[in-house]
Amino acid sequence: MKTNYDLVVIGGGSAGLAAAISAYDHGIKDILLLEAEAHLGGILLQCIHNGFGLHEFKEQLTGPEYAERFANQLIERKIEYKTDTLVLEIKEDKTVIYSNKEDGLVEVKAQAIILATGCLERTRGAINTPGDRPSGVITAGLAQKYLNIDGYLVGKRVFILGSGDIGLIMARRMTLEGAKVLGVAEIMPYSNGLNRNIVQCLHDFNIPLYLSHTVTNIIGKDKLEKVVIAKVDENFNPIKGTEKEFQVDTLLLSVGLIPLNGLLDKVNVPTHPRTRGALVSQNLETMKEGIFSCGNVLHVHDLVDFVTKEGRKAGYGAATYLKGKMHKKGRRIITRNKSGVSYVVPYYIDVENILDNLVELNFRVTKPFEKTRLIVKLDDKEIKNIFKLHMLPSEMESVLIEKEILMNSNAKEITLEIKEG
Amino acid sequence: MKEFICIVCPRGCKIRVNEQGEMEGYGCKRGITYVQNEMTNPKRMLTSTVKIKSKIVNRLPIITSSEINKDDIFRVMEEINKVKVEAPIYIHDVIIKNVLGLGVDIIATRTIRE
């Protein structure tokens, strides 16, 4: 069995597929891609709704269609991959330990690694919901897998906590399959989902959205019997007297996603306190040379098209590294988020290794903004002042910085902030 | 008075229409067109799954070949739920031809070889 590879890609979802394909197209042929599930495609396989690919293909595809296009590209290139294969550990010397039924426990040595393991749903424990602990409380993505892959409807009367896109999509999906969805509660005063999902998943089926509301009690001895929600004040504390009760057998949680980053623990790669992804350069290289990270394991995306784009960038970065074309690390410009910006990816610009003429900075805003300006500064010097008609926390934003400006500056920091008015 | 959230762009304008058909709250002309379509002839793509006999999965994802009237969604769901197919199925295979005579096919969105 082959135990040496130029590149090992961990994860066969949208990020990993794009990364492997891109590395191949940039000249790296000795690649192994490892996927934990039985099929390539990752979470897209259970996202049977359409709307994927508007940026990538200028058409609307369903999740499985989008996944199949990239899986086919991997197979056409004869890139080696293994499914049903779980990576247990990455070591500092870039040894990857995986196991599967056919090969058993295997150690392979990689020259470079791309981590593309996606993210996990936050569960009830993460949000400290009070009340009983009956069955029937389940994350929205897991309910989606049961329904769309396995064919089981998890309940007949449903309430949903959190207005993230998965929750909204599941409100429609369960309604179509005959369940009654009584409402969606969102603790923020605005929805965390895309507008088109609010309209086509809730309004189309007259499902109420309770903004500034949260679940304050979960009642049921063995099976869930009812949930209680209440309005919250500006500090997110429930307001007495505003409670509403719903008789339901299912509470779906759509309360955020966390990068699945455990494999980096043993490699001592620092992570970002806000995104919980690795700290990376614009080439998506972590603080450990030759280890790259992309997709939802780096930061949670709202559109798969952007995951694909990021995967490609990691593949390009890894290929450049493997060909020995990365320069010795020199000056770094650290990215900083100031008022109105909740985080910036990448964490720093590796100035000696800017591979394209433009460096893309991705960021999210802290709240909805209308008619504001995005200000980009290199240390104290303003280099961009861009009018933004509207920005939402649920939609990732980006700004492009010219390589020349970065090369000709001695700045230590690049700062993004939103100026109102 | 009816209220719509425009989904043409991320701004999500709240557009109100009164009994005379006059609109307010739109940020651009695209909002007017959006609301006119929603008022007269709202259409949606429908995605779901059908049962499949396969070694690896229980459900085959499907989609309508074009948009259907919003009012037909549940009738079409009933037809979809009557179907059971057997692997192999290839992406974009027709699963139901001309469902309910609407001039729209139900097609597979995934290849399931075995």
Side-chain angles (χ1 to χ4, degrees), chain A residues 389-408:
Chain A
L389 188 56
H390 38 78
M391 290 187 284
L392 296 171
S394 57
E395 305 202 2
M396 193 175 81
E397 293 282 338
S398 67
V399 60
L400 297 168
I401 315 290
E402 292 76 8
K403 176 179 182 175
E404 227 179 279
I405 297 180
L406 297 164
M407 298 290 286
N408 295 333

Side-chain angles (χ1 to χ4, degrees), chain B residues 77-94:
Chain B
M77 276 303 289
E78 276 178 34
E79 295 305 304
I80 288 169
N81 285 342
K82 287 177 191 164
V83 174
K84 183 166 184 180
V85 296
E86 209 168 307
I89 294 280
Y90 295 92
I91 195 165
H92 302 154
D93 279 359
V94 174

Side-chain angles (χ1 to χ4, degrees), chain A residues 39 48-50 62 64-65 68 148-151 173 176-177 195-196 199-200 203-204 370 390 392 395, chain B residues 5 7 10-12 34 44-45 47-49 56 58-59 61 70 73 77 81 91-92 109-111:
Chain A
H39 306 275
I48 62 160
H49 53 282
N50 73 330
T62 63
E65 289 172 304
E68 201 162 315
N148 293 344
I149 305 281
D150 303 328
R173 186 75 189 101
L176 288 175
E177 293 296 351
N195 273 321
R196 74 162 183 242
V199 171
Q200 299 196 349
H203 294 188
D204 273 9
E370 279 255 332
H390 38 78
L392 296 171
E395 305 202 2
Chain B
I5 298 176
I7 62 169
R11 190 174 177 188
Y34 172 77
R44 299 285 184 265
M45 295 297 279
T47 60
S48 186
T49 61
I56 49 180
N58 295 334
R59 308 298 293 194
K70 209 170 99 175
I73 286 177
M77 276 303 289
N81 285 342
I91 195 165
H92 302 154
T109 56
R110 181 176 176 185
T111 300

Side-chain angles (χ1 to χ4, degrees), chain A residues 13 15 69 87 99 106 172 203 270 305 316 328 340 387 398:
Chain A
R69 286 198 184 186
V87 173
S99 85
V106 182
R172 171 175 64 187
H203 294 188
D305 304 66
Y316 181 28
K328 199 170 173 297
F387 176 71
S398 67

Side-chain angles (χ1 to χ4, degrees), chain A residues 221-283:
Chain A
K221 195 165 171 285
D222 299 313
K223 273 225 46 98
L224 178 63
E225 287 160 24
K226 57 185 172 186
V227 298
V228 183
I229 68 166
K231 205 171 165 41
V232 297
D233 62 21
E234 59 273 20
N235 300 316
F236 308 115
N237 293 317
I239 303 168
K240 276 219 168 85
T242 62
E243 292 85 0
K244 288 187 185 69
E245 277 189 15
F246 297 90
Q247 310 276 334
V248 291
D249 57 24
T250 304
L251 175 64
L252 291 189
L253 301 177
S254 172
V255 292
L257 303 163
I258 314 166
L260 185 52
N261 236 339
L263 284 175
L264 287 180
D265 288 354
K266 292 225 168 109
V267 202
N268 289 318
V269 170
T271 54
H272 192 288
R274 170 63 174 69
T275 64
R276 303 226 222 155
L279 300 183
V280 293
S281 72
Q282 80 279 6
N283 299 321

Side-chain angles (χ1 to χ4, degrees), chain B residues 8-49:
Chain B
V8 177
C9 86
R11 190 174 177 188
C13 292
K14 286 197 174 69
I15 303 174
R16 286 168 298 277
V17 190
N18 67 16
E19 280 71 29
Q20 286 75 47
E22 291 159 342
M23 290 182 213
E24 55 173 52
Y26 52 86
C28 72
K29 284 184 207 153
R30 292 181 298 173
I32 302 176
T33 315
Y34 172 77
V35 170
Q36 278 166 350
N37 286 337
E38 282 294 291
M39 299 267 295
T40 52
N41 192 17
K43 283 178 171 272
R44 299 285 184 265
M45 295 297 279
L46 175 63
T47 60
S48 186
T49 61

